[in-house]
Amino acid sequence: MKKVNFKLMSVFLMICLCTGFISCGGDDDDSIDNASSSGVINGLDPKLFIGHWSFNGNIAPSFTLYSDGTCDVELVSGYDAKGTWAFNSQTNVLALSTGFTGTVKVLTAEVLSIEWTSVKYGTMVSTWNKR
């Protein structure tokens, strides 16, 4: 009798586990797959970075990002610099080789908001407009 109960309990347990694994399968919502196939990462489309971003003020640089990974930066000191740029999709960090680095908070076709740190001003969120 114990062997029969043990076998029945084992079969029942296997059925429960299989049902649990099946119910934890992928979601039928295609919106995630569509987003990743369109290039959107963490809600940001990296193609939107390309263009000239103008900062209205004098504490952050304006810059132009090119699709080949190069950039032109209008430094706060009034000089222009050429360099490279990169976007880390895991951390949402945009880094310019000229020394400007920050975490992207918002990226649309017209607005770029970045949280960044300055020695003089501390940590802040600033916004650039696309020209």
Side-chain angles (χ1 to χ4, degrees):
M1 185 71 171
K2 287 184 180 182
K3 284 185 179 183
V4 173
N5 283 340
F6 181 74
K7 287 181 182 180
L8 286 174
M9 193 63 104
S10 296
V11 170
F12 178 72
L13 182 61
M14 288 179 62
I15 291 171
C16 289
L17 287 174
C18 289
T19 305
F21 285 126
I22 292 170
S23 68
C24 293
D27 193 359
D28 291 333
D29 185 11
D30 291 336
S31 63
I32 294 171
D33 294 333
N34 291 339
S36 61
S37 66
S38 69
V40 176
I41 304 166
N42 295 337
L44 301 173
D45 184 354
K47 290 182 248 167
L48 294 176
F49 283 112
I50 308 306
H52 180 77
W53 294 98
S54 178
F55 184 77
N56 188 16
N58 60 359
I59 62 171
S62 293
F63 46 85
T64 303
L65 305 178
Y66 300 101
S67 60
D68 65 355
T70 61
C71 63
D72 292 328
V73 181
E74 300 167 16
L75 300 173
V76 177
S77 61
Y79 295 101
D80 291 342
K82 293 193 178 295
T84 58
W85 68 279
F87 173 68
N88 183 324
S89 61
Q90 300 296 317
T91 60
N92 283 354
V93 171
L94 175 65
L96 308 181
S97 63
T98 57
F100 181 81
T101 302
T103 303
V104 177
K105 298 297 184 180
V106 175
L107 174 63
T108 69
E110 300 167 351
V111 174
L112 172 63
S113 289
I114 300 175
E115 179 178 17
W116 61 289
T117 302
S118 164
V119 174
K120 187 174 182 179
Y121 301 105
T123 301
M124 67 193 84
V125 176
S126 298
T127 302
W128 286 256
N129 295 309
K130 195 176 237 183
R131 274 200 248 154

